[in-house]
Amino acid sequence: MSTIGNMTSTRARTGVGTARLAGAGLLILLGGFALLGPLFISSDPSTQDLGASLAPIGGDYLLGADHYGRSLLARLAHGARLSFGMAFLTMLAAAVPGILLGLAAAWKGGWAERMLEFVATVVLALPGLMLVLLLLAFSPGNHGPLFLGLSLTLWVEFYRLTKATTRTVLAQPHIEAARMLGFGSRYILVHYVLPVIGPMIATLSAFAMATAIIAVSTLSAISVGLQPPTPELGSMIVELLPYFAEAPVHVLLPAVLIFLLVLGLQLLTQGDRA
């Protein structure tokens, strides 16, 4: 989860560059596959047909079948939806409290900020995946602890970025002038603070989603995350790995989908370079 930590030391780039457009286009395609694929693909991702075990690409199975004869196209579509959904919800659950607490800490300061800093330090003292594993120990293989653990890990980055940037903005002379002219906190927040932190939060959100996708896949791959027969991309790779010699493309398909999801999010954070 070091990607999120590295990002907070840089400012969001402005401009809509070629890389950002490419990332947006890639995510639109993958999002369409994830959202609409399960609606138009008639195959059930859990339906087994042992007679079609490791069926090649083409024929009755457009992208082949796994070792249980389950449609890889259907499983990839449901896996992409699961990864997208969990990543987006995790990002929201981390961003909303992180941003609100960061704004409150920068605005109020005092004991509230000291308490929040202590909580953030405690969370950062634990390796991100360790915190997720601790929660998964109470209910292994379920969505809830996995979602909660990732959110608890990622909110700190939103909090610290928001607090540091907001404090810098509030220290500017024009903010003091606005206060002296009688403009309220809401006006200052909407017109001066949010336009500055907005692009940074958007960039951090993309990094957070990419981190969540990688974390979910990694935990499922080591059998402590979502468990089979749930069509999760990381667990699909592990399930098919023993058959790599017979069907290497089948193993690579979920790995390529993870790569494309993360690549699209990473490209989306790029902008025009000066």
Side-chain angles (χ1 to χ4, degrees), residues 3-257:
T3 303
I4 297 296
N6 293 337
M7 183 270 161
T8 57
S9 63
T10 61
R11 294 181 66 88
R13 299 185 182 94
T14 58
V16 182
T18 303
R20 184 170 291 179
L21 289 174
L26 180 58
L27 288 176
I28 289 173
L29 290 176
L30 294 173
F33 175 65
L35 295 174
L36 302 178
L39 300 178
F40 292 99
I41 298 172
S42 58
S43 303
D44 189 313
S46 300
T47 300
Q48 299 183 12
D49 179 9
L50 296 180
S53 178
L54 299 179
I57 293 176
D60 294 335
Y61 296 92
L62 184 61
L63 292 181
D66 67 4
H67 52 302
Y68 289 120
R70 298 173 296 193
S71 169
L72 278 178
L73 179 61
R75 292 183 66 77
L76 287 171
H78 282 79
R81 172 185 280 189
L82 179 62
S83 293
F84 251 128
M86 285 204 67
F88 183 72
L89 291 177
T90 298
M91 180 272 293
L92 280 183
V96 172
I99 294 170
L100 293 178
L101 292 174
L103 290 171
W107 207 281
K108 298 295 185 182
W111 66 268
E113 180 188 1
R114 291 193 293 271
M115 183 182 68
L116 288 170
E117 277 298 314
F118 175 76
V119 174
T121 301
V122 171
V123 172
L124 289 178
L126 282 172
L129 289 179
M130 180 63 70
L131 180 59
V132 179
L133 289 173
L134 288 174
L135 292 173
L136 280 173
F138 294 98
S139 184
N142 289 330
H143 295 70
L146 182 58
F147 163 76
L148 179 61
L150 290 172
S151 300
L152 288 175
T153 300
L154 296 174
W155 78 271
V156 177
E157 304 298 343
F158 287 95
Y159 162 74
R160 289 198 160 174
L161 176 65
T162 302
K163 188 192 76 170
T165 307
T166 302
R167 177 162 292 169
T168 300
V169 174
L170 294 178
Q172 299 298 315
H174 64 278
I175 300 297
E176 184 63 28
R179 285 173 169 168
M180 293 178 63
L181 289 172
F183 291 103
S185 301
R186 181 177 179 181
Y187 181 90
I188 293 174
L189 176 66
V190 172
H191 291 86
Y192 294 107
V193 177
L194 291 183
V196 175
I197 69 172
M200 299 182 185
I201 294 300
T203 301
L204 184 56
S205 297
F207 275 114
M209 288 185 64
T211 300
I213 289 173
I214 294 173
V216 170
S217 299
T218 301
L219 291 168
S220 297
I222 60 176
S223 301
V224 295
L226 302 178
Q227 302 295 314
T230 302
E232 198 285 319
L233 300 176
S235 63
M236 288 172 61
I237 296 173
V238 174
E239 282 188 282
L240 288 165
L241 198 57
Y243 308 95
F244 181 78
E246 302 171 59
V249 177
H250 293 41
V251 182
L252 293 175
L253 284 175
V256 169
L257 188 51

